[in-house]
Amino acid sequence: MTSSSSPSQDPKRLAYAHSEGLRADALMEEDVAWSHEIDGERDGDQFDRSERAALRRVAGLSTELEDVTEVEYRQLRLERVVLVGVWTTGTAQDADNSLAELAALAETAGAMVLDGVIQRRDKPDAATYIGSGKAQELRDIVLETGADTVICDGELSPGQLIQLEDVVKVKVIDRTALILDIFAQHAKSREGKAQVALAQMQYMLPRLRGWGQSLSRQMGGGSGGLATRGPGETKIETDRRRIREKMAKMRREIAAMKTGREIKRQERRRNKVPSVAIAGYTNAGKSSLLNRLTGAGVLVENALFATLDPTVRRAETPSGRLYTLADTVGFVRHLPHHLVEAFRSTMEEVGDADLILHVVDGSHPTPEEQLAAVREVVRDVGATDVPEIVVINKADAADPLVLQRLLRVEKRSIAVSARTGRGIEELLALIDNELPRPAVEIQALVPYTHGKLVARAHTEGEVISEEHTAEGTLLKVRVHEELAADLAPYAPVSAA
């Protein structure tokens, strides 16, 4: 007979409607209405905002409900959920922050968070994640609140999902399934949709279940000839085989799309255009920073994973050097490995960059945890050798002591505010200094009939000085070896 748990081990009820600091807005600022006059300069044209806010006609519905997939999707968006987490390591505040982030994820997915509990354990229960007794208490909470879904703050095994559902009698999903659902909602490009679909199939394959007739076997052939008699495949085996076939097809499609993006990268490398990748935690302000630096017009919304598809824009340093700026998918703690694998081709933008702008939310309760979570994923994609600048965003809303601590710990860091423009000029100057510079310095008198060489010097190199003379354009530039060889015939004999 097990002993009764101490008060510190009882389920911790989190009343999100009244408790301070544990709502989704603990991680996200209060959202305000977007206006062109106030926010237009900062965020650009916001091309996706009107489309997301517009009403959409749902196709395929009829009075007989012949196609109910859209109806089920609408019901999913209106789910009432209870959150449950297991606190195994760290402090109670760490556990609260993790569950608050789960609440923000649930609200981003369209759910209504009713309540939440945390169970203190050495490790999750192998059967029901929180233990049989606590599962019964969770069942009472579900009945009391009228919830129709339970979301667990962790990745559950197929057995844990089934057994916990048997106890609470409502649908149970885990953190991984929730993040996959958000990605599925926000993916817009063909490649993004394919990557999300692959990750979802990888997640669902070991979690397929058979109900009733789905476990029955196909009949062996009485008249089918030799080697066809006897038990055939079960329905679940057939489903698994079909999923594997779809996954193989999806991988081939993603590989083909990767080729197109690699060609674009090779073109940029051939033209010697440096690349900068913006990486960071979700909702840290990466898209706002991209809009502030380039006027890209990428959607900016107070939600987790609001932008999913990567965006690449051309930018120019204060000294006139051209470079590309890529906005990558946001990261989150315990990012599902299915997503890391599926989005590996997209995350290669980080690995192939000459410089990483690591954006962190300075107003977050634990920015150090955000830094650690992002760096873990950066290590997974093999980008540890790329130089990094830590950009502490939302400096206008951050605690000055937190800013001082981060600036002291992170040696190559800068505090900015994409909303107000604070620190943006200093960031541009820092990017200019950190980008790799051409190795060869040369002086050349280029005839006016060879204007293409002058144009290449401006786009591919760094022009130190330029003077127009009667004989041609006198350039003093720092360029790469290939362009230096093309300029060498026009170098003055007296040049150093």
Side-chain angles (χ1 to χ4, degrees):
M1 181 175 181
T2 59
S3 59
S4 60
S5 60
S6 62
S8 63
Q9 293 177 324
D10 289 337
K12 188 172 181 181
R13 299 290 297 276
L14 306 177
Y16 287 90
H18 306 289
S19 177
E20 295 182 358
L22 295 181
R23 289 179 57 86
D25 56 14
L27 297 175
M28 302 189 295
E29 303 169 356
E30 277 301 322
D31 204 2
V32 295
W34 190 91
S35 66
H36 185 77
E37 293 78 8
I38 299 175
D39 300 325
E41 179 183 353
R42 180 183 80 250
D43 295 336
D45 294 332
Q46 296 291 281
F47 305 131
D48 294 339
R49 182 170 294 275
S50 58
E51 180 182 341
R52 281 202 183 178
L55 291 174
R56 292 184 301 170
R57 180 178 297 278
V58 181
L61 296 182
S62 65
T63 54
E64 292 81 16
L65 294 180
E66 296 174 356
D67 185 358
V68 298
T69 54
E70 286 81 8
V71 176
E72 292 173 350
Y73 177 72
R74 287 299 180 90
Q75 290 175 347
L76 173 67
R77 296 295 303 275
L78 298 176
E79 284 175 343
R80 298 158 58 86
V81 302
V82 170
L83 311 179
V84 57
V86 172
W87 169 23
T88 57
T89 59
T91 64
Q93 186 62 41
D94 293 337
D96 291 348
N97 289 337
S98 181
L99 208 65
E101 182 176 270
L102 186 68
L105 288 168
E107 292 187 2
T108 300
M112 180 186 300
V113 179
L114 303 178
D115 205 347
V117 294
I118 292 178
Q119 166 67 16
R120 183 70 168 97
R121 298 178 63 92
D122 293 333
K123 61 180 181 180
D125 181 67
T128 60
Y129 184 65
I130 55 175
S132 57
K134 302 305 178 186
Q136 291 291 344
E137 295 182 26
L138 179 61
R139 168 62 178 164
D140 295 338
I141 296 172
V142 168
L143 289 174
E144 177 186 341
T145 58
D148 51 28
T149 304
V150 170
I151 304 179
C152 298
D153 191 16
E155 184 167 342
L156 274 61
S157 68
Q160 287 174 324
L161 281 171
I162 294 173
Q163 295 190 55
L164 189 57
E165 278 189 352
D166 288 342
V167 176
V168 299
K169 305 302 182 184
V170 295
K171 183 172 68 174
V172 176
I173 64 174
D174 57 14
R175 185 187 184 96
T176 300
L178 179 61
I179 294 176
L180 288 172
D181 180 72
I182 296 173
F183 271 55
Q185 292 180 35
H186 292 176
K188 296 186 63 178
S189 69
R190 179 168 170 258
E191 184 173 11
K193 292 177 179 178
Q195 289 168 330
V196 172
L198 176 60
Q200 286 177 320
M201 286 187 286
Q202 287 176 319
Y203 174 79
M204 287 302 300
L205 184 60
R207 292 170 173 82
L208 289 179
R209 307 180 213 171
W211 302 101
Q213 292 300 317
S214 63
L215 287 175
S216 62
R217 293 186 179 274
Q218 299 175 7
M219 293 295 295
S223 59
L226 297 176
T228 59
R229 300 176 180 84
E233 283 183 307
T234 62
K235 178 65 164 58
I236 195 169
E237 289 170 342
T238 304
D239 292 341
R240 285 173 179 162
R241 175 168 49 81
R242 289 175 176 171
I243 287 181
R244 291 191 187 98
E245 291 172 352
K246 289 182 180 179
M247 288 171 59
K249 179 182 178 183
M250 203 69 68
R251 288 193 179 98
R252 289 193 296 268
E253 292 180 358
I254 293 174
M257 299 177 206
K258 176 184 175 181
T259 303
R261 193 170 50 253
E262 181 61 29
I263 291 174
K264 294 179 181 178
R265 287 201 200 106
Q266 290 176 357
E267 183 70 15
R268 293 198 296 266
R269 285 195 291 265
R270 187 179 67 82
N271 293 328
K272 308 300 180 183
V273 178
S275 60
V276 178
I278 301 178
Y281 212 78
T282 180
N283 208 44
K286 298 183 300 300
S287 297
S288 296
L289 185 64
L290 178 69
N291 289 342
R292 173 65 74 171
L293 293 176
T294 67
V298 176
L299 175 73
V300 174
E301 191 171 358
N302 186 25
L304 306 184
F305 301 113
T307 51
L308 179 59
D309 299 315
T311 303
V312 180
R313 293 290 184 270
R314 298 189 72 179
E316 187 174 329
T317 65
S319 63
R321 301 171 61 199
L322 292 177
Y323 65 97
T324 60
L325 200 60
D327 180 19
T328 60
V329 62
F331 302 147
V332 71
R333 77 179 84 186
H334 310 307
L335 189 67
H337 68 275
H338 308 292
L339 282 176
V340 176
E341 288 300 320
F343 280 80
R344 184 170 295 276
S345 57
T346 301
M347 293 177 181
E348 286 174 358
E349 293 286 353
V350 177
D352 290 343
D354 296 299
L355 180 66
I356 295 176
L357 297 185
H358 185 166
V359 184
V360 60
D361 183 358
S363 63
H364 190 272
T366 55
E368 290 84 359
E369 291 185 6
Q370 289 193 350
L371 287 167
V374 173
R375 283 169 176 162
E376 181 180 353
V377 180
V378 169
R379 283 195 300 269
D380 290 342
V381 298
T384 53
D385 296 332
V386 182
E388 175 192 70
I389 297 176
V390 176
V391 182
I392 308 169
N393 194 24
K394 304 183 184 180
D396 55 322
D399 185 345
L401 295 178
V402 174
L403 288 181
Q404 293 176 12
R405 185 177 76 241
L406 289 173
L407 291 171
R408 183 177 63 253
V409 173
E410 301 293 338
K411 301 304 179 184
R412 302 174 64 184
S413 59
I414 183 173
V416 304
S417 172
R419 183 179 184 85
T420 64
R422 168 185 168 183
I424 296 298
E425 296 298 327
E426 293 82 354
L427 175 60
L428 288 171
L430 188 57
I431 293 173
D432 198 357
N433 292 332
E434 293 290 338
L435 282 177
R437 295 180 177 275
V440 182
E441 185 174 321
I442 188 173
Q443 185 173 340
L445 182 62
V446 183
Y448 290 120
T449 55
H450 293 71
K452 287 184 178 180
L453 280 178
V454 178
R456 286 181 61 192
H458 280 276
T459 56
E460 301 176 22
E462 182 178 355
V463 178
I464 301 174
S465 64
E466 181 179 18
E467 182 183 352
H468 299 286
T469 67
E471 294 79 13
T473 305
L474 182 62
L475 290 174
K476 186 176 182 181
V477 293
R478 188 178 287 112
V479 294
H480 52 84
E481 295 180 357
E482 181 182 347
L483 183 54
D486 294 338
L487 290 172
Y490 307 103
V493 177
S494 60

